[in-house]
Amino acid sequence: KAGVTQTPRYLIKTRGQQVTLSCSPISGHRSVSWYQQTPGQGLQFLFEYFSETQRNKGNFPGRFSGRQFSNSRSEMNVSTLELGDSALYLCASSHGVGKDTEAFFGQGTRLTVV
Amino acid sequence: DQQVKQNSPSLSVQEGRISILNCDYTNSMFDYFLWYKKYPAEGPTFLISISSIKDKNEDGRFTVFLNKSAKHLSLHIVPSQPGDSAVYFCAAMKTGANNLFFGTGTRLTVIP
């Protein structure tokens, strides 16, 4: 069965622009979470979507937003990009219900803001 | 505020010996813990998990131990193999919240 797919793999944007990243979860998974990985802060939780609704949110500014579609695919949008937004953005999918639900990660999108 | 901590940024071990990676957490609400392995330019790969109702979980060469009173968990890899060389992340969550809190990772190098 296919894993978590993130597109694009690499992206270079200019300060002030906006960007949209895409994530297709494992078939049957209804929860999609987004994480930001930077050398200084490690892996930090952005938000989680379940059945098209944002269920959990981390401590990121409103410039970071997301959505989930009826097929569970999710997009993450960052507006007014800043240099500090340069990071590896990871998407994880899981069943999202019940106990012991492991999250499976995609390969990530490497965003560079110049 | 780092709720999950991995205080050793790196660890080197001889092939065939035991690797012990440590992790501490501060939030007593966490009840599910996971270990992930990560290679450069790839997403984390799930390795093993443990629920707070257990103190040990084993899967092949990998064993995770949980000490709730000390808020400490460890991952044992026996025997270590060169292919185990990667960055290992400890993660914790509260069941139902479904967001993972990660440690900063430990880079394991297994020397042939």
Side-chain angles (χ1 to χ4, degrees), chain A residues 9-10 31 33 35 37 41-43 45 48 55-56 88 90 94 96 98-108, chain B residues 2 31-32 34 36 38 41-46 49-51 53 89 93 95-104:
Chain A
R9 289 292 310 277
Y10 303 93
S31 168
S33 299
Y35 293 83
Q37 185 183 20
Q41 298 295 321
L43 274 152
F45 173 75
E48 181 223 3
R55 191 164 67 167
N56 289 291
L88 180 66
L90 291 158
S94 68
K99 289 179 73 66
D100 304 342
T101 172
E102 291 83 23
F104 296 88
F105 284 82
Q107 290 189 293
Chain B
Q2 194 74 24
D31 60 0
Y32 196 60
L34 307 92
Y36 285 86
K38 188 177 184 302
E42 292 186 12
T45 302
F46 169 74
S49 61
I50 187 167
S51 166
I53 62 172
F89 289 94
M93 63 182 281
T95 305
N98 214 43
N99 56 309
L100 293 167
F101 291 84
F102 282 88
T104 48

Side-chain angles (χ1 to χ4, degrees), chain B residues 8-10 26 33-34 36-37 48 62 64 67-69 74-75 81-82 91 107 110-111:
Chain B
S8 297
S10 63
T26 57
F33 305 89
L34 307 92
Y36 285 86
K37 176 179 175 180
I48 191 169
F62 301 91
V64 56
N67 182 333
K68 288 190 293 294
S69 60
S74 60
L75 174 68
Q81 299 173 353
R107 180 177 301 279
V110 180
I111 304 163

Side-chain angles (χ1 to χ4, degrees), chain B residues 30-95:
Chain B
F30 290 147
D31 60 0
Y32 196 60
F33 305 89
L34 307 92
W35 284 93
Y36 285 86
K37 176 179 175 180
K38 188 177 184 302
Y39 294 114
E42 292 186 12
T45 302
F46 169 74
L47 268 177
I48 191 169
S49 61
I50 187 167
S51 166
S52 61
I53 62 172
K54 298 182 178 179
D55 54 20
K56 177 183 174 181
N57 189 26
E58 198 170 347
D59 183 2
R61 297 186 297 114
F62 301 91
T63 304
V64 56
F65 295 91
L66 175 63
N67 182 333
K68 288 190 293 294
S69 60
K71 294 192 180 68
H72 176 84
L73 62 155
S74 60
L75 174 68
H76 292 210
I77 306 174
V78 181
S80 301
Q81 299 173 353
D84 296 331
S85 297
V87 178
Y88 288 78
F89 289 94
C90 163
M93 63 182 281
K94 180 180 181 314
T95 305

